[in-house]
Amino acid sequence: MLKSITEATILPGTRVLVRANLNVPMERGSVADTSRALGNLPTLRFLKGKGAKTILVGHVSVEGESLKPVADILAQHVPVSFLESPFDEVGKEKLEHMQDGDIVCLENIRQFPEEEKNDEAFAQKLAGLADIFVNDDFTSAHRVHASIVGVPHYIPSYMGIRFAEEYEHLSEAFHPQHPAVLIVGGAKPETKLPIITALAPHMDSVFVFGVSGNSLLKTKGFSVGTSRVASVNEEVLRTIVAMPHVSTYTDVLTLGVDGKEHVLTPEALGPDDTIVDAGPETLAHLAQVVSSAAFVLWNGPLGLYEKGFSVGTQECARAIASSRAESIVGGGDTDAVLAEGHISGTFTFTSSAGGAMLEFLAQGTLPGIDALKD
């Protein structure tokens, strides 16, 4: 059974090992976006208020990058000190002399090769640092690493406050209020098509865009020109196309070899056309359906926003934001478009998870979730 840290009995002096979400974008050794790191604050403030001795473990995915700049960001909001290693003599002494309410951030846990190998002895060493374990890093819960799935085998374990929010909100996709709408876009059909297969039975309307949308058009027999399509089992695409409540582009914005933009229906697409965004008829239909929805889940941009074609995605965002639906959005690309269009902060919940969100929606669980249950 999953339990939140808010349900745990924490006395002053309780040692708590927190798997924190510290994998932030870095530019030349500086934190480029603080949002993920600051998402840990509710859990850290809760533990500090209880008088716990909190030890943060996490990673940054840039090889050789230090977590000290991330710890410095956290230290602007709660008192946080930094420690290179918990296992050498200096580290052991510092941890031994922690005071009630102290927070110590360890260096990038991936400095230890045993972390990504989920080494059992290493997980035991980490667990030995604390009395209880808290996972507040939903974004990494799809990783089978020692500090995610290993430690919970040895000490009582809980969800952090942000982790619990991600789990509870994303779980609503499996039993949504109706009418329920799923909108899937983006450039990685291998991660998006499983979501459609898993969630379509729970939805009243499903819209598929991006590379997956191109692939559905091709499966229907239309030419998609030079547009990118999925390299997946054709049977999967045929199964999705056969679902009566699944739709994709009814018109598209294309870029021709002449470098000019054109709005075309799928029937009019030629061998030299490239689909770059949803067309106005598609966007109008999407907005109409969303306007009467009770629940909307959206992941991934509608077009090639990285090449400047972000109008369709921003129109989709505005339609969701202006509806009365409970709205859950996610995906790094989506976040970027929302920030560009100044639309962020207008949804019920914005997931900070990328691959973990997609895997959870497709499978209903994650290794890090199963570890907490066990």
Side-chain angles (χ1 to χ4, degrees):
M1 179 179 177
L2 287 171
K3 289 187 177 182
S4 168
I5 187 58
T6 58
E7 301 175 73
T9 300
I10 303 174
L11 303 175
T14 300
R15 291 184 174 269
V16 182
L17 182 70
V18 177
R19 170 68 201 207
N21 187 358
L22 306 177
N23 187 23
V24 300
M26 305 286 287
E27 291 181 2
R28 299 179 181 179
S30 298
V31 177
D33 185 342
T34 64
S35 56
R36 278 192 175 184
L38 298 183
N40 297 286
L41 290 178
T43 293
L44 299 187
R45 287 169 173 155
F46 173 80
L47 293 173
K48 182 173 177 58
K50 293 288 186 178
K53 298 176 180 179
T54 303
I55 304 167
L56 304 184
V57 58
H59 80 281
V60 61
S61 57
V62 180
E63 186 175 353
E65 194 69 75
S66 174
L67 276 178
K68 189 175 187 309
V70 189
D72 291 341
I73 292 295
L74 290 174
Q76 297 174 15
H77 302 271
V78 290
V80 176
S81 58
F82 184 73
L83 181 62
E84 291 189 358
S85 172
F87 304 125
D88 60 24
E89 291 305 314
V90 174
K92 289 178 180 178
E93 183 175 356
K94 183 168 184 177
L95 294 181
E96 180 66 28
H97 290 88
M98 288 179 68
Q99 301 297 308
D100 295 355
D102 281 357
I103 303 173
V104 173
C105 179
L106 305 185
E107 180 57 283
N108 192 341
I109 194 64
R110 289 188 179 177
Q111 67 176 303
F112 300 103
E114 300 92 336
E115 160 68 2
E116 294 183 75
K117 295 176 182 178
N118 189 26
D119 181 80
E120 183 177 348
F122 182 66
Q124 286 180 302
K125 285 177 68 175
L126 286 174
L129 299 175
D131 303 305
I132 65 174
F133 171 70
V134 176
N135 192 343
D136 210 21
D137 187 7
F138 191 91
T139 67
S140 298
H142 58 317
R143 307 292 186 191
V144 185
H145 294 172
S147 67
I148 298 169
V149 303
V151 173
H153 288 298
Y154 303 106
I155 52 178
S157 302
Y158 301 86
M159 298 183 291
I161 293 173
R162 177 64 187 187
F163 191 110
E165 289 178 350
E166 291 273 1
Y167 177 75
E168 290 164 5
H169 281 287
L170 294 179
S171 293
E172 293 178 32
F174 303 110
H175 46 81
Q177 300 179 59
H178 294 279
V181 179
L182 172 65
I183 305 169
V184 177
K188 298 179 179 179
E190 64 275 10
T191 62
K192 305 301 176 73
L193 294 175
I195 294 177
I196 299 167
T197 302
L199 295 184
H202 306 288
M203 300 292 163
D204 299 285
S205 300
V206 179
F207 291 90
V208 185
F209 302 116
V211 175
S212 299
N214 301 344
S215 304
L216 294 192
L217 287 180
K218 183 178 179 181
T219 301
K220 290 181 177 182
F222 298 112
S223 167
V224 293
T226 60
S227 310
R228 185 182 162 195
V229 293
S231 299
V232 297
N233 189 319
E234 287 292 326
E235 185 61 33
V236 174
L237 293 169
R238 286 194 290 269
T239 298
I240 294 173
V241 165
M243 297 178 182
H245 63 313
V246 173
S247 60
T248 184
Y249 306 105
T250 51
D251 65 339
V252 293
L253 181 68
T254 67
L255 192 64
V257 290
D258 57 1
K260 295 181 179 180
E261 299 175 13
H262 307 273
V263 174
L264 300 174
T265 62
E267 294 84 356
L269 285 166
D272 297 322
D273 289 314
T274 302
I275 298 171
V276 295
D277 207 349
E281 181 181 297
T282 300
L283 294 174
H285 176 56
L286 175 65
Q288 181 182 20
V289 173
V290 167
S291 67
S292 59
F295 176 88
V296 178
L297 174 63
W298 173 34
N299 183 285
L302 277 64
L304 301 179
Y305 90 92
E306 71 278 7
K307 295 186 178 180
F309 300 100
S310 59
V311 171
T313 303
Q314 291 183 10
E315 286 301 308
C316 176
R318 291 189 177 92
I320 297 171
S322 62
S323 75
R324 296 182 178 181
E326 179 178 2
S327 53
I328 299 173
V329 303
D333 291 343
T334 306
D335 291 344
V337 173
L338 298 182
E340 177 186 309
H342 305 290
I343 311 169
S344 56
T346 55
F347 306 101
T348 305
F349 184 74
T350 301
S351 174
S352 62
M357 175 186 179
L358 299 174
E359 188 170 323
F360 176 73
L361 292 174
Q363 300 183 9
T365 190
L366 295 170
I369 293 172
D370 291 337
L372 295 179
K373 289 179 180 178
D374 294 341

